[in-house]
Amino acid sequence: MFRETALGRRKRRVEVVARWVLLGMSLALIVPLLLIVVYLVVKALPALSLGFLLDPPVRGMRAGGIWPALLGTIYLVVISLAVAAPIGILAAVYLNEYARDNWFNRLINLAVINLAGVPSIVHALFGLGAFVLAAHIGKSILAASLTLAVMTLPVIIASTREALASVPRPFREACWNVGATRWQTIRAVVLPNSISGILTGVILQVSRAAGETAPIMFTGALFFKAVEKGDIFAYGLFEQCMALSMHLYVIATQVPDVPEAIPYATAVVLLGAVLLVNATAIVARIFMRSRKKW
Amino acid sequence: MVTPPKTIEVQNLRLAYGPKEVIHGISFDVRRHEILGVIGPAQSGKTSLLRCINRTIEFTPGVHLQGAVRVDGEDVQKVRDVFALRRKIGMVAPLPVGLPLTIYDNVAFAPRCSGMRSRSELDGLVEQCLRQAALWDEVKDRLKTLGTKLSGGQQQRLTIARALSHQPEILCLDEFSIAIDPVTTMRIEEVLKELRKEMTIILVTNLVQQARRLADRTMFLWNGEIVELDRSDVVFSEQPRDRRTYEYVNGIFG
């Protein structure tokens, strides 16, 4: 009754090929990541310990730990997000919920998209010119954080808008129909149902801000600074600081005779921090999606 | 015979989306406490018309509106407090929209937006609206569950309860039965027969028989123009004034 035709056979063959090719591509994605992680961890193993995290580097960065750099990166990321997240989220709410489709808002959109594509070294030069020199902040944590904020802002705006746009329009119309203002609608329906997407977008920018070297190199990152072991208030807002990405660059290329394990261990810490943050984003998203309401 | 006062007056209303005019200068009245049926094929401007009345039309970019829509004698285009205008008009959309809130919050949303905070007042209002929408008995034990988890027919009644929650004087229903089963439709029609005692109802429908069952007067809107507006028994008779009405009502065209 169901005799297979030539076309049916061909469709089935294509189906099998497609499945395996696509699976192969997915594996090809994972393999290098695993290789990198395993390679790094194996190389780093001799140096890794809790002391490595909490100790300052000693003997011209050829021994000891990475505490000042780790702390500096945390400072930079936290401050840059404290600036970029509120501005980015509120701007995205305006653009998505209030802005009419006119030339001015289209211009803003265009600017946001293009800004997101600007290479980080250009942001670095902008930060140097705008914050360090023109605004007279000087090379400092503040200037570097602001530079990172400018770099992450357009992406936060874009991801937030995407999250807001995923809330179906009929929900908004239902609210308007009963006499709710736009803001009441946003508060009651739009934000609660897009907050997981918004936070995911913001958290993903943490890893980007933590990993970039160029923007902070000219604006506030330091070669070396003496910091007490485990001191969490080592830096002031207007001081320069060390940072993980910069530190890695320095010990890998600028300082001779660094034991091999130390740069690898630094890289593992940076990678681990990024993975930790991303994992937090994923868990947060799963948690909030489980409360999603439609 | 005394003509009841006019609740809504539409005067020479023209509406265009960009260059495309969809309503070509129509005029009609809706009288107090009547059910006005609006029938007509898709794209004839029925939904746009409703959106002109509560001014949600202005959320669509590029609309151009001429003429006047008056609610209780006031030109809606000149209303200062547009939110008060919208509270006066209950609007039920074609597809049921349970807001992603609990059943209770769905109904309490509008009163809260206009400042009602008292728990007992809200409780009373929520119960009253859900009863009016013939939903109370089905959901009274689970008011804290999500409105979006209800079935389609229940969600449509929830939508009606929400439309009643701001105590409107006018109720506009836009093809409310399009996504629900005939039994639920009949239950909602019973609800409407109750509600007509206290409010003015505009019933947009593409079920011709629904207008015949419920409407005091029926308007046949076609391509943005009123073909006929008369008492329902005339519109649905063997001899309406316009031949096209007869053909549409009897399924010969449209």
Side-chain angles (χ1 to χ4, degrees), chain B residues 158-174:
Chain B
L158 181 63
T159 311
I160 293 176
R162 202 173 54 226
L164 297 172
S165 69
H166 40 98
Q167 295 161 306
E169 293 162 25
I170 302 162
L171 185 63
C172 299
L173 298 117
D174 189 357

Side-chain angles (χ1 to χ4, degrees), chain A residues 100-101 169-182 184-185 188-189 193 291-294, chain B residues 51 54 56 58-60 83 86-87 89 91 97-101 109-110 113 146 148-149 162-163 166:
Chain A
R100 282 161 198 271
D101 187 26
R169 184 172 166 95
F171 288 160
R172 296 180 177 83
E173 284 174 358
C175 292
W176 297 334
N177 274 338
V178 299
T181 61
R182 279 182 194 260
Q184 285 169 331
T185 305
V189 172
N193 291 292
R291 303 193 324 180
K292 197 148 185 171
K293 291 168 180 168
W294 75 87
Chain B
R51 297 183 63 212
N54 79 345
T56 46
E58 58 196 38
F59 289 113
T60 308
F83 307 109
R86 291 190 189 133
R87 282 199 297 275
I89 302 166
M91 188 67 76
V97 181
L99 289 174
L101 303 168
F109 175 68
C113 280
L146 284 175
T148 39
K149 296 273 193 292
R162 202 173 54 226
H166 40 98

Side-chain angles (χ1 to χ4, degrees), chain B residues 53-228:
Chain B
I53 296 173
N54 79 345
R55 261 179 68 181
T56 46
I57 194 77
E58 58 196 38
F59 289 113
T60 308
V63 293
H64 186 66
L65 192 149
Q66 278 181 310
V69 177
R70 273 190 269 281
V71 173
D72 284 344
E74 210 176 330
D75 187 343
V76 296
Q77 292 302 311
K78 295 184 182 126
V79 165
R80 276 277 188 82
D81 187 355
V82 67
F83 307 109
L85 171 75
R86 291 190 189 133
R87 282 199 297 275
K88 198 172 192 152
I89 302 166
M91 188 67 76
V92 178
L95 298 176
V97 181
L99 289 174
L101 303 168
T102 64
I103 294 172
Y104 184 95
D105 289 339
N106 257 281
V107 186
F109 175 68
R112 277 184 184 138
C113 280
S114 47
M116 190 189 282
R117 287 283 173 272
S118 143
R119 186 75 202 188
S120 58
E121 251 182 297
L122 282 172
D123 284 350
L125 186 61
V126 168
E127 178 173 345
Q128 181 203 326
C129 294
L130 286 171
R131 276 187 193 284
Q132 279 182 316
L135 188 60
W136 174 255
D137 290 331
E138 286 161 57
V139 301
K140 64 183 175 200
D141 302 320
R142 47 180 177 137
L143 291 175
K144 294 289 163 215
T145 57
L146 284 175
T148 39
K149 296 273 193 292
L150 294 173
S151 75
Q154 288 173 326
Q155 281 198 42
Q156 190 59 303
R157 278 176 284 157
L158 181 63
T159 311
I160 293 176
R162 202 173 54 226
L164 297 172
S165 69
H166 40 98
Q167 295 161 306
E169 293 162 25
I170 302 162
L171 185 63
C172 299
L173 298 117
D174 189 357
E175 300 186 351
F176 73 86
S177 52
I178 205 166
I180 54 181
D181 64 278
V183 176
T184 313
T185 304
M186 292 316 290
R187 290 189 64 175
I188 296 178
E189 287 188 14
E190 293 304 315
V191 169
L192 296 181
K193 284 177 191 161
E194 283 300 308
L195 289 174
R196 77 196 307 173
K197 292 171 195 153
E198 41 198 296
M199 54 185 84
T200 310
I201 298 176
I202 301 181
L203 176 70
V204 168
T205 177
N206 51 18
L207 298 178
V208 170
Q209 296 308 322
Q210 190 169 61
R212 171 183 271 175
R213 284 194 294 268
L214 293 172
D216 301 297
R217 294 189 304 151
T218 296
M219 177 162 88
F220 176 31
L221 199 61
W222 188 53
N223 277 342
E225 281 171 34
I226 297 176
V227 175
E228 184 150 357

